């Protein structure tokens, strides 16, 4: 799991040029959860987004940034993660494995003594893994979510979902 229990999540739905958001917000942030048992943060944050698509290319992805709050109220990166929105209709339970950049030895010492884990300069690396192989990362924790997917008229246009 994550190193600290007091967590919040910034999320974004990223999608291709053939998709259009017709209703809802494609990014947001949860509240900070201070779990009583100190083990699992629960956000219960609703996401209601409606898309229109001209093609199945550029299928939506959900990317997350998990942050923890320290004793001084400072936000520190806990991990990044990403997953595709399921292509089949119905209720889905997804687990997003998160990771964070390890950084140089100097950055690790700084993070240990002063706080402030290394962060990505280019956030698009979270959803697009083509250049991520150059990073040294460490596993952070998991984000579990329940997601209801409703598809309309995909079969009508020859798209098997």
């Amino acid at each position: 799991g994550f190193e600290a229990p007091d967590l919040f999540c910034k999320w974004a739905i990223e999608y291709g040029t053939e998709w259009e958001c017709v209703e809802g917000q494609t990014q947001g942030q949860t509240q900070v959860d201070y779990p009583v048992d100190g083990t699992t943060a629960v956000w219960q944050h609703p996401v209601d987004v409606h898309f229109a698509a001209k093609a199945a290319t550029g299928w939506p992805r959900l990317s997350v940034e998990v942050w923890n709050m320290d004793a001084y109220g400072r936000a520190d990166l806990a991990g990044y993660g990403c997953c595709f929105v399921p292509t089949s209709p119905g209720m889905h339970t997804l687990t997003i494995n998160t990771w964070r950049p390890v950084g140089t030895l100097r950055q690790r010492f700084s993070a240990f003594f002063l706080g402030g884990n290394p962060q990505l300069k280019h956030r698009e690396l979270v959803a697009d893994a083509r250049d991520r192989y150059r990073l040294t990362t460490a596993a952070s924790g998991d984000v579990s979510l329940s997601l209801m997917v409703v598809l309309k008229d995909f079969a009508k246009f020859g798209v098997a979902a």
Side-chain angles (χ1 to χ4, degrees):
F2 294 100
E3 292 176 4
D6 304 334
L7 303 169
F8 68 95
C9 180
K10 295 179 182 181
W11 58 271
I13 300 173
E14 300 171 11
Y15 49 93
T17 57
E18 299 294 321
W19 292 73
E20 177 187 359
C21 177
V22 293
E23 187 176 342
Q25 295 187 356
T26 58
Q27 59 185 348
Q29 178 177 313
T30 68
Q31 83 284 356
V32 179
D33 186 32
Y34 297 96
V36 176
D37 62 1
T39 58
T40 303
V42 178
W43 294 310
Q44 298 290 334
H45 185 80
V47 176
D48 188 8
V49 183
H50 301 234
F51 287 100
K54 297 176 188 170
T57 57
W59 196 269
R61 290 181 257 202
L62 178 65
S63 64
V64 297
E65 294 179 16
V66 179
W67 295 76
N68 70 289
M69 297 294 288
D70 67 10
Y72 303 104
R74 297 177 300 190
D76 192 15
L77 177 72
Y80 298 105
C82 183
C83 74
F84 279 98
V85 171
T87 58
S88 60
M91 190 67 158
H92 301 272
T93 301
L94 305 174
T95 300
I96 301 174
N97 301 310
T98 63
W99 52 272
R100 62 178 176 77
V102 173
T104 64
L105 183 60
R106 180 178 177 176
Q107 289 170 321
R108 284 184 267 172
F109 274 118
S110 175
F112 180 78
F113 289 109
L114 303 174
N117 285 324
Q119 300 175 26
L120 294 177
K121 289 182 182 178
H122 305 286
R123 299 279 195 270
E124 59 271 5
L125 288 175
V126 175
D128 186 4
R130 287 182 284 202
D131 290 329
R132 200 180 321 152
Y133 70 90
R134 291 189 256 170
L135 297 174
T136 303
T137 62
S140 296
D142 298 327
V143 175
S144 297
L145 58 112
S146 297
L147 189 65
M148 172 62 84
V149 176
V150 178
L151 302 177
K152 181 181 176 210
D153 296 334
F154 273 69
K156 183 175 162 182
F157 296 105
V159 178

